[in-house]
Amino acid sequence: MFFPGSRYAGQQTYTVTQPDGTQVTAVRLPLPRPGPLLGFHRRVEGQRLDLLAHHYLKDATGFWRLCDASDTPSPDALASREQVGIPDRER
């Protein structure tokens, strides 16, 4: 259902029945997994998180790891920060 590098890969799912009787499968939101930081990157206006993730983590789809490292819940929240935490690439 999710690609292997996704933060949702391997997460538990559950089924919800809506008022009209249709069932929807949802995934549980993962808890952030902050770890040791290699340092910080000072963002320049317009810098995209996927490009930063590719540069530092060699994985453009790992932008969510930048969010976890910066203790922010979403990419939009991180976009308002001046500095982005850079996690260890091995985690």
Side-chain angles (χ1 to χ4, degrees), residues 16-66:
V16 176
T17 302
Q18 296 186 344
D20 67 358
T22 58
Q23 292 189 328
V24 178
T25 301
V27 65
R28 296 196 185 283
L29 293 177
L31 295 174
R33 301 180 313 192
L37 294 179
L38 295 179
F40 291 90
H41 173 88
R42 184 176 301 276
R43 286 188 71 241
V44 176
E45 186 175 336
Q47 279 186 321
R48 293 179 16 200
L49 294 180
D50 60 334
L51 297 180
L52 290 177
H54 174 71
H55 177 77
Y56 289 107
L57 306 174
K58 306 302 182 223
D59 178 10
T61 64
F63 65 88
W64 59 270
R65 294 184 57 222
L66 299 175

